[in-house]
Structures are given as structure tokens and as C-alpha cells.
Amino acid sequence: MKTSSVLMLAAATGELLAQVQGFAPTAGLLPGAQRSVAATKRASLFTPGAKRGGLGCKCPGGCRCAQKTQLRMSSLADDVNADFEELFEANRDWIDFKKAQDPEFFKKNAAEHKPSVLWIGCADSRVPSNEVIGAESGEIFTHRNIANVVMNTDNSLMSGMTYAVDVLNVEHIVVCGHTKCGGVQASLSGPKEFSPPLEGWLSHLRMVYRHHRAELDAIADPDAKLERLVDLNVIEQCKNVYRTAIVQQRLADNAAEGRPYSTPRIHGCVYDLATGYLKRVNWVTDEMEDTYDMVADEGQSDKYNLQKLLNNNARWAEKIKSAEPDYFEKLGSSHTPSMMWIGCADSRVPSNEISGSEPGEIFTHRNIANVVMQTDQNLQGGLQYAVDALGVEHIVVCGHSNCGGIAASLTPTAFSPPLEGWLHHLANVYRLHASELDGIKDEKAKLRRLVELNVLEQCNNVAASSIVQAKQRESIAKGAPFPVPRIHGYVYDLENGALEDLQWSDQIADEGGVFKVRNDYAAMGMEDPNLKEKSMFNRKPAGMSGGGSVNPLKKMFGKK
């Protein structure tokens, strides 16, 4: 059955459904359409109620529906692998759940990558894109950073946008902010003693404030001011998307070809943590020249009608509240994820789904091929926020099989900047391991091995970060038996849905000496923690600040 890669909306039910080319209809659903995950998922294995035994279980035997996945793993465990057994059990449950619905799901999911949406959202753990709009794996290509900022100088986002628009041909770009955004809140407080790169990142949000100072200064209520700044930030970031050469060229090409609708369509939304609802933000202002009629023809086709996406979100929110009335109230009251997830933007690898986790558990950064660079202000700002403000205890770098970014780095094809520059970092991983990779004749096996080596190298880059090393030194000084945050490297297999632990260690080394001990205890000025008395371990290592000083991030964001 031939289908398109655009959002399809079933008028009979009003559900937001999506067809991805080559996907067969799932049994029991409307013909030619896949189910909306968020609309039904919460009623089975991966629902707040089900995890507490409240909604009833319909998943395969042997599941853990009566339990709630606890991603605040015990950093006290001596065995690193024991920490994450809960996550891998949840991943296996999710695999069983998907196979019970469609035995061919993973085979189809791995066969092609045809998302219709680029989602630019906040890294906040309480706003997982697939959940809030009911999207299936494979539908949303995702970039997430602090406060959903869009900058022309940000190679991470611009590379992802180039790939999404020029290679994947997405037809929608959604910029989504959320209420009670910590990044936006920080920008309201004026310059603080934030060290780079977070301070540099917040300066872009302060620029939004300066553009709208007259309006914002007239708002006396701090909560109302924050809410309005969140809206204005989404508006400004949508304009930034619209102005990029990447999008303008595509819009011009569409107009030249005489297409009735300009694509990609650009949409602005704000997610309300207190209610679970998305609201639409009109970013095309009266004084703005809307050359490509981004709003004028909005209601003329269901393919580009954002309102139906919002309707689907409303149904999802109502379903959650019917199972647990105070769910969103509790979710919005605090932000205490224990893990930062650095993953690929690929639409087929949604971190919350594959780990069986709930909103609020994973602080997420996603870019092409899960690259970690010391010069990437986007990632480094998020890393600093996660480590110093949120006190995450785990950092996961997760790659995946059949990664388009990794595959592109293996080809001689010349891509336009900034994508070409981004792929250069992946080419360097190949150069480091050329002797091994050149000996692999099977191209699929070579790609898989490069995916693994890239994850290990990016784990090394996380470990080499001064942000992480400072926090690890602090934890050891307080008596921790091992450095916190802990670093993990995983590969997600699109063909079977399984997560594989690559057993990364800060002591890792290979025969060629490529993987050096970049984070060894001697280099960090520490004693070997295995020689320490573990009974002296402070049981709250993630919430400490060094040198007896007050960490300004914790003071501002209320971290206890």
C-alpha cells in the first residue's frame, strides 16, 4: 500500500495518526493508519496508572506493569550494570509490547527513515515530544536543547535542520516551549555567576527579553512575566527558523515549482506542565511580511492543520488526568531527573519510549549521531545545567544501528555546510579507528562497528569535560566509591528494539591504545575509589557543591 510521509488525520476519530511510507496497518486500527502511541500506550504497559497497577494490563505475560520504572537508579550500587537493570527490563517489556502489536514492527521501523516533522523542543525531562502529541517511533526528527533556542551560529541545530529539510524532506517544523522553563527563568534573573558555556547560552534568551522589554517590564506578576517570556521566546525562535537560508531556499523552491502550500510549515507551541495541554502560538505578527503565507492557508488542508495535532494532545492529557487527576500538578511542581540522555535526532529512537520511562525522568539532548564536542555551546550548556543545576547521577550516550549521520560520514558525498562540518567530527572517529574499520569488508558490519566506536568516543568526550570532571572530583571528595555522574554508552538496535550496553569505562583501553584513560583517578587528583572505605559514602552525591560555596544554579533552581 502506497502511503505518504505526511501527517494523516483520521476524520472518523479525530486521532492524530501517521503513515510512514512502507508501514503496514496495525491490526485492529483504521485501515492504512498506525495508532497514536500516546493515546493508547498509557492505557497499557507504559502508563502512570498501569505502572501503579491502576489502569489494568494488556501487555504480554511477564511484564512489570505493577511497578513504576525508577530511573533514579541507585548510585550506591557497587556494580555499574546493576544500576541500569531496571532500564533494560523496561526496554525488553517495550519490545514485547511492540511485537505483540505487530511482529514486523522493528523490521519495518529499521527499513527506512521518513519522518514528516522536525521538532525543536526544550531538553526538559517533563516534555517528551512523542508522548505529548501521540507520535509513533519514526514520525518526529528531534532536536532538543535548553529553552528550544534557534541560532544561525549553532552548528548542532543548523546541521540537524539541513539534514531534516534537505535529506529527509520534512514538511513541518515545530518549535515547542513549555511553562516553568528553567532556562527562560534563568534569563529573567539577569547575569549571574554562571560559568561558560551556560552563561553564553542564556545570553540568547536575555536578547529575547531585550526585544520585548517594554511589554515584559509592565508585567508585575513574576509568574505571568515568565509565562509571557516563554511565549515570546517561541515566537522569536519560529522567526529564526523562518529566516534561515536552509528554510528560505526550500520555500523558494516550492514556490517556483508552483506548489499550492509552502513547506516546511512552521508551527509554534507551548506545553503547559500544569495541565498537559499544548497551546498554539501565532508567530507571524502583523508587522511581519509573511512572504510564503505560512498562516493564511493554514486551514485549507488537513495535511497542514496544526489544530488537529493540538486536539490529539488534548485527548492525551484528558486520558492521563482520568487515570491520575493530579498527575500534571505533580509533574510541574519539580524537575528532578536523574539521567541526562545524549542521543541521536533520528525519529526512530525516542528515548522515553525505548526505556519505558515517564515524563520527568530523562533530561534529553539530541543531535545528529549523538556527537559530544567541547566547542558545542548547545550541548555543553545543557550538560552544565544537567550536572550542576539538576544534579543528574547518570549520563547516557546512545547511538543506534543504521544511523544516517554515521552512514553519511562513510560516503564521499559533499553536503552543504553546516552539515558537512558536523560530519567531519564523525570522520575523525573513523580516522582514529581506521586500521580496524578498514579490515571489515561487510559494509553493514562496518557501519555497525563505527556506530559503536562513535558512542565510545563520545563517552570519552563526556568524561573529558571539565564540567563532568569537576563534579566527579567533588563526589569522590565527599566519599563516593566511584565518580558521579556515571557515564554509560549504549547502542539501540532498530532491527529488534534492544539496547546494548557497550560497557564503557573510564579505564577503557584497546590494543592500539586508541582509547586512553582520559578520566583516570590519578589524572583527576583522586585516590582509587576501590581503596576507600565505602561505608563513608555520602548517600546524596548528586546534590553537593564544592569548596563550601553556594552553587548559584542550585540556589536559583531550588535544588536541595
Side-chain angles (χ1 to χ4, degrees):
M1 178 178 179
K2 185 177 180 180
T3 62
S4 66
S5 62
V6 299
L7 291 176
M8 302 294 290
L9 297 127
T13 63
E15 288 285 334
L16 172 68
L17 302 168
Q19 291 182 314
V20 178
Q21 189 173 9
F23 273 43
T26 303
L29 298 181
L30 294 176
Q34 289 193 303
R35 72 176 187 88
S36 167
V37 168
T40 59
K41 175 173 84 171
R42 293 275 179 185
S44 56
L45 177 58
F46 300 108
T47 76
K51 287 181 179 179
R52 298 167 177 82
L55 291 180
C57 172
K58 298 179 182 178
C59 54
C63 74
R64 296 155 48 253
C65 287
Q67 306 173 29
K68 179 181 184 298
T69 302
Q70 295 291 341
L71 286 182
R72 183 161 292 281
M73 305 298 174
S74 171
S75 291
L76 315 179
D78 293 338
D79 182 2
V80 172
N81 295 325
D83 268 5
F84 269 31
E85 184 55 34
E86 183 98 7
L87 183 148
F88 282 96
E89 287 182 18
N91 171 244
R92 290 190 289 269
D93 287 345
W94 179 74
I95 293 170
D96 292 341
F97 177 71
K98 300 302 292 185
K99 285 182 176 178
Q101 289 187 311
D102 180 2
E104 299 295 309
F105 172 81
F106 293 106
K107 180 179 179 180
K108 298 170 187 174
N109 198 37
E112 61 181 359
H113 187 205
K114 297 283 187 180
S116 61
V117 177
L118 167 61
W119 178 280
I120 301 173
C122 185
D124 194 295
S125 67
R126 299 166 293 181
V127 195
S129 55
N130 285 64
E131 296 271 348
V132 302
I133 63 171
E136 178 62 279
S137 171
E139 293 174 1
I140 301 179
F141 189 76
T142 305
H143 181 94
R144 293 174 67 178
N145 62 40
I146 292 178
N148 41 277
V149 171
V150 177
M151 294 185 294
N152 272 308
T153 56
D154 178 9
N155 283 342
S156 176
L157 174 56
M158 291 297 110
S159 298
M161 190 180 298
T162 302
Y163 189 81
V165 173
D166 290 347
V167 179
L168 299 176
N169 296 309
V170 296
E171 301 184 359
H172 303 267
I173 299 176
V174 175
V175 178
C176 185
H178 66 92
T179 58
K180 299 183 179 180
C181 178
V184 176
Q185 175 69 61
S187 71
L188 271 172
S189 304
K192 296 287 183 181
E193 296 177 2
F194 302 129
S195 58
L198 182 57
E199 175 58 33
W201 191 258
L202 294 178
S203 68
H204 302 291
L205 298 169
R206 294 196 183 103
M207 188 61 68
V208 175
Y209 190 105
R210 290 180 62 187
H211 283 320
H212 302 275
R213 179 179 294 277
E215 175 186 354
L216 292 167
D217 285 351
I219 302 174
D221 180 66
D223 292 336
K225 181 180 291 188
L226 174 60
E227 182 177 351
R228 181 55 180 159
L229 184 53
V230 166
D231 290 354
L232 291 170
N233 183 53
V234 168
I235 290 171
E236 292 297 332
Q237 306 314 325
C238 284
K239 290 179 181 179
N240 290 343
V241 171
Y242 183 70
R243 293 167 181 149
T244 61
I246 301 162
V247 170
Q248 285 291 312
Q249 184 61 55
R250 176 51 58 91
L251 293 173
D253 290 345
N254 288 341
E257 293 169 6
R259 297 186 183 183
Y261 299 98
S262 300
T263 57
R265 310 294 293 172
I266 302 171
H267 313 280
C269 298
V270 170
Y271 176 73
D272 191 334
L273 291 174
T275 66
Y277 293 125
L278 279 169
K279 75 172 182 179
R280 180 175 179 169
V281 177
N282 182 17
W283 61 273
V284 180
T285 56
D286 293 337
E287 67 275 10
M288 178 181 173
E289 182 183 1
D290 185 14
T291 307
Y292 295 102
D293 295 326
M294 298 302 288
V295 171
D297 59 359
E298 187 69 46
Q300 295 181 17
S301 170
D302 280 352
K303 292 196 299 182
Y304 306 115
N305 193 335
L306 182 65
Q307 186 56 48
K308 292 195 176 182
L309 182 151
L310 301 179
N311 291 343
N312 187 71
N313 160 256
R315 282 186 291 275
W316 171 77
E318 289 300 321
K319 194 172 188 71
I320 297 296
K321 289 191 287 188
S322 67
E324 189 172 345
D326 61 347
Y327 177 81
F328 292 109
E329 181 181 350
K330 291 189 293 186
L331 184 65
S333 63
S334 64
H335 187 207
T336 56
S338 65
M339 179 197 303
M340 179 178 186
W341 182 283
I342 301 172
C344 184
D346 193 297
S347 65
R348 300 166 293 180
V349 195
S351 55
N352 284 69
E353 295 216 6
I354 66 178
S355 63
S357 60
E358 295 182 8
E361 294 179 339
I362 302 179
F363 186 77
T364 305
H365 180 95
R366 293 174 66 178
N367 62 37
I368 292 178
N370 41 276
V371 171
V372 177
M373 293 185 292
Q374 305 302 324
T375 56
D376 181 5
Q377 187 184 66
N378 189 330
L379 171 63
Q380 293 298 324
L383 184 62
Q384 184 184 1
Y385 185 84
V387 171
D388 287 346
L390 300 176
V392 296
E393 299 174 1
H394 302 271
I395 299 173
V396 169
V397 177
C398 184
H400 65 93
S401 62
N402 296 349
C403 179
I406 298 291
S409 73
L410 285 170
T411 70
T413 305
F415 297 92
S416 60
L419 181 57
E420 179 63 29
W422 191 261
L423 296 177
H424 177 73
H425 301 290
L426 300 173
N428 282 339
V429 175
Y430 191 107
R431 291 176 61 192
L432 284 170
H433 302 276
S435 59
E436 176 186 353
L437 292 168
D438 287 346
I440 303 175
K441 302 306 178 184
D442 180 75
E443 292 302 318
K444 186 174 181 180
K446 179 182 291 187
L447 174 60
R448 171 66 185 220
R449 182 55 181 158
L450 183 53
V451 165
E452 295 172 350
L453 293 170
N454 181 56
V455 168
L456 294 171
E457 285 293 346
Q458 306 315 323
C459 284
N460 284 346
N461 290 341
V462 171
S465 165
S466 61
I467 298 165
V468 171
Q469 291 204 6
K471 180 59 66 174
Q472 291 184 333
R473 283 195 296 268
E474 179 183 306
S475 68
I476 292 295
K478 296 291 185 178
F482 40 72
V484 178
R486 302 171 70 176
I487 302 166
H488 313 266
Y490 299 140
V491 170
Y492 173 72
D493 196 324
L494 290 173
E495 288 80 2
N496 58 35
L499 282 168
E500 177 187 355
D501 186 353
L502 298 182
Q503 302 294 320
W504 180 88
S505 167
D506 54 14
Q507 302 293 323
I508 195 168
D510 64 12
E511 292 181 0
V514 175
F515 290 114
K516 298 180 180 179
V517 184
R518 303 190 185 186
N519 200 27
D520 62 71
Y521 303 113
M524 296 172 66
M526 304 177 183
E527 295 181 42
D528 186 335
N530 295 319
L531 303 178
K532 282 184 170 288
E533 177 56 54
K534 296 180 181 179
S535 63
M536 297 179 65
F537 175 43
N538 184 323
R539 302 182 71 86
K540 292 185 179 180
M544 298 180 285
S545 59
S549 62
V550 176
N551 186 320
L553 287 171
K554 290 192 176 67
K555 184 177 181 181
M556 173 171 294
F557 299 110
K559 188 73 179 178
K560 302 297 184 182

